[in-house]
C-alpha cells in the first residue's frame, strides 16, 4: 500500500488526488487504515496541495502520540510552497531542536514529490553549509541531514569535488563520496536508446569524448538530464561540468 501511495503522490495525473482521497475514506476493500497508512496518505495529499492544514491538525489530535506528532511534522512540511520548504530546511538544521525521527520527518517533508524545483533552490546553500552542518550536529543527525538534503542535480558532482579538496573529517568525506557516487550510478544505469555517435559525438580509439562546449554535447547533456528527470525528479538544473573520459 505504501508504494502505491508514493506513486499516487508523484503522478502528474489529476486522478492521483481522487484515488488518494478514496483510500483515505476507506473506499478500498481490504485496506487497513492504521495511523501509519493514514499519515502516508495525508502526506501524499499535502505534496499534491490537496489537503488543508487543519485536516492535518485534526489527524494529529486523533493520533495523540509522539509518533502522531512526528508524522504531522513531516506531512505539514510536504506542501509544495517555498515557505514550507524553507521552514523544513531551517528547522531540520537547527542544532539540538529535533530528535532523529523528527529530523527524518522534516527531511521527508522537504523531499516530498512534486516539489523538485523548490528543492533545487537550496542546492547551493546546502553545499555552502555542509561543513557547518557536520560541526553543529551529533554525527547521527549530521549523517541524516547530509544524505537527506544532498541534491540529486548535475551540479552536485562539481560541488562535491570542491568540498573533497578541503580538509574534511573522514566520516564526512565518506558520506559525500557515497552520496555523490550513488547519484552518478543512477545516471550510469539509465539506458541510452541511441549510440553516442547518433548524437554527433565522435568515438575514436575506444574512447568517448565529452567536450566542454559544442552543440552535440549540449544535446547529449539535455538528453541525460531529461532521462534522469523522467525517472527521479520532475525538474533538474541543466548545467553539467563535462569531462573527457577514456
Amino acid at each position: 500500500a505504501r508504494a502505491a501511495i508514493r506513486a499516487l503522490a508523484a503522478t502528474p495525473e489529476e486522478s492521483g488526488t481522487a484515488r488518494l482521497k478514496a483510500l483515505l475514506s476507506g473506499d478500498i476493500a481490504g485496506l487497513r487504515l492504521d495511523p501509519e497508512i493514514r499519515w502516508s496518505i495525508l502526506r501524499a495529499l499535502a505534496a499534491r496541495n490537496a489537503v488543508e492544514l487543519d485536516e492535518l491538525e485534526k489527524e494529529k489530535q486523533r493520533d495523540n502520540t509522539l509518533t502522531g506528532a512526528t508524522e504531522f511534522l513531516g506531512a505539514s512540511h510536504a506542501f509544495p510552497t517555498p515557505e514550507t520548504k524553507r521552514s523544513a530546511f531551517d528547522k531540520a538544521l537547527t542544532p539540538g531542536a529535533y530528535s532523529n525521527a523528527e529530523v527524518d520527518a522534516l527531511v521527508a517533508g522537504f523531499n516530498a514529490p512534486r516539489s523538485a524545483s523548490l528543492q533545487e533552490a537550496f542546492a547551493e546553500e546546502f553545499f555552502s553549509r555542509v561543513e557547518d552542518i557536520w560541526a553543529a550536529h551529533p554525527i547521527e543527525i549530521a549523517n541524516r541531514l547530509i544524505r537527506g538534503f544532498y541534491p540529486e542535480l548535475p551540479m552536485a558532482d562539481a560541488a562535491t569535488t570542491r568540498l573533497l579538496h578541503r580538509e574534511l573529517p573522514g566520516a564526512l568525506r565518506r558520506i559525500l563520496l557515497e552520496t555523490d557516487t550513488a547519484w552518478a550510478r543512477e545516471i550510469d544505469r539509465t539506458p541510452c536508446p541511441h549510440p553516442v555517435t547518433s548524437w554527433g559525438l565522435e568515438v575514436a580509439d575506444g574512447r568517448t569524448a565529452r567536450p566542454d562546449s559544442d552543440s552535440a554535447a549540449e544535446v547529449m547533456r539535455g538528453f541525460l538530464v531529461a532521462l534522469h528527470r523522467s525517472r527521479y525528479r520532475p525538474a533538474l538544473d541543466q548545467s553539467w561540468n563535462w569531462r573527457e573520459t577514456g
Side-chain angles (χ1 to χ4, degrees):
R2 285 188 289 272
I5 292 167
R6 287 193 295 270
L8 289 173
T11 180
E13 301 294 331
E14 289 303 317
S15 61
T17 296
R19 294 172 69 183
L20 285 166
K21 290 184 176 181
L23 289 173
L24 188 62
S25 67
D27 290 348
I28 307 302
L31 178 63
R32 182 170 174 266
L33 284 175
D34 60 27
E36 183 180 359
I37 292 294
R38 289 184 61 85
W39 279 117
S40 294
I41 297 170
L42 286 167
R43 185 168 58 250
L45 286 169
R48 299 180 68 84
N49 207 24
V51 67
E52 298 296 330
L53 185 60
D54 62 357
E55 189 170 350
L56 301 183
E57 292 276 7
K58 289 177 183 177
E59 189 67 23
K60 180 183 175 184
Q61 294 173 9
R62 173 176 175 164
D63 183 12
N64 189 22
T65 64
L66 288 175
T67 300
T70 301
E71 293 281 9
F72 171 81
L73 188 65
S76 62
H77 286 88
F79 290 100
T81 67
E83 297 79 12
T84 298
K85 301 311 172 188
R86 170 53 65 184
S87 176
F89 190 81
D90 288 348
K91 286 179 178 178
L93 294 186
T94 303
Y98 296 96
S99 67
N100 289 5
E102 289 169 331
V103 166
D104 287 344
L106 287 165
V107 170
F110 178 88
N111 287 320
R114 300 169 67 91
S115 293
S117 62
L118 299 174
Q119 296 152 7
E120 289 168 14
F122 292 84
E124 293 289 351
E125 181 178 352
F126 166 79
F127 281 111
S128 73
R129 297 179 64 177
V130 162
E131 291 172 278
D132 291 337
I133 292 170
W134 188 260
H137 297 269
I139 189 169
E140 184 57 37
I141 293 284
N143 180 32
R144 283 170 154 82
L145 292 170
I146 291 171
R147 292 182 188 277
F149 287 134
Y150 188 91
E152 293 182 352
L153 297 172
M155 57 79 70
D157 182 57
T160 301
T161 298
R162 287 193 295 270
L163 279 171
L164 292 173
H165 279 97
R166 302 180 187 177
E167 291 294 328
L168 300 177
L172 174 57
R173 181 177 296 275
R174 175 177 55 81
I175 291 168
L176 288 170
L177 283 168
E178 288 175 356
T179 48
D180 185 48
T181 302
W183 186 85
R185 279 201 304 268
E186 297 299 346
I187 283 287
D188 290 341
R189 282 201 297 261
T190 302
C192 178
H194 301 283
V196 173
T197 51
S198 71
W199 293 92
L201 297 180
E202 294 184 357
V203 179
D205 300 326
R207 297 194 309 159
T208 301
R210 293 180 175 179
D212 290 329
S213 60
D214 66 0
S215 59
E218 291 298 327
V219 170
M220 181 59 80
R221 179 187 300 116
F223 174 69
L224 287 176
V225 169
L227 280 176
H228 183 76
R229 178 192 307 159
S230 68
R231 291 183 60 189
Y232 301 104
R233 301 287 290 273
L236 288 175
D237 185 349
Q238 295 296 313
S239 64
W240 193 299
N241 291 317
W242 290 76
R243 301 184 297 272
E244 186 176 2
T245 60

